[in-house]
């Protein structure tokens, strides 16, 4: 099993993985295009970078599912509001057909 490493945001590209050159955008050399570096500022090699990003993506997906389940349990999901009246309705008169403009 691969352990999640402590990573920091790349200061050169501000974590975006790309920098603006004179004529075009290019991959950041400070982080190998990943947006993350080790705490001592060294870029990760591509296989390690892919593993670490995959681990973080899986963790965020798990956190999202747990939050979604907690909202459902609390009765706060699905969200509802005034816009629900307009979802699923069809406008048989076409674009602007149900709206009087007063012209």
């Amino acid at each position: 099993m691969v352990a999640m490493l402590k990573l920091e945001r790349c200061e050169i590209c501000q974590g975006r993985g790309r920098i603006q050159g004179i004529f075009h955008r290019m991959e950041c050399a400070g982080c190998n295009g990943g947006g993350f570096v080790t705490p001592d500022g060294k870029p990760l090699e591509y296989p390690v970078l892919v593993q670490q990003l995959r681990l973080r993506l899986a963790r965020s997906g798990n956190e999202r599912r747990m939050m979604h389940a907690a909202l459902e349990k609390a009765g706060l999901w699905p969200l509802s509001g005034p816009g629900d009246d307009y979802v699923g309705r069809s406008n048989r008169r076409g674009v602007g057909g149900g709206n009087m403009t007063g012209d």
Side-chain angles (χ1 to χ4, degrees):
M1 182 172 176
V2 180
M4 194 176 296
L5 300 175
K6 179 173 172 45
L7 299 177
E8 295 180 3
R9 186 176 71 163
C10 176
E11 293 298 321
I12 296 170
C13 65
Q14 302 301 317
R16 290 187 297 263
R18 300 183 68 73
I19 58 172
Q20 180 66 43
I22 295 174
F23 299 108
H24 62 281
R25 295 183 61 84
M26 55 190 170
E27 186 177 279
C28 176
C31 61
N32 285 338
F36 295 103
V37 293
T38 59
D40 58 353
K42 294 181 182 176
L44 298 170
E45 296 299 321
Y46 286 115
V48 177
L49 177 63
V50 169
Q51 286 177 343
Q52 293 301 312
L53 293 175
R54 183 181 46 82
L55 288 172
R56 282 165 172 70
L57 179 63
R59 183 174 70 175
S60 69
N62 290 337
E63 289 174 356
R64 185 190 60 80
R65 282 189 289 279
M66 288 182 353
M67 290 292 201
H68 188 80
L71 286 172
E72 282 181 343
K73 187 176 180 180
L76 300 173
W77 190 265
L79 299 176
S80 60
D84 292 344
D85 294 337
Y86 299 99
V87 176
R89 285 187 170 180
S90 64
N91 186 356
R92 290 177 278 179
R93 297 185 207 174
V95 178
N99 183 21
M100 180 169 172
T101 61
D103 290 344

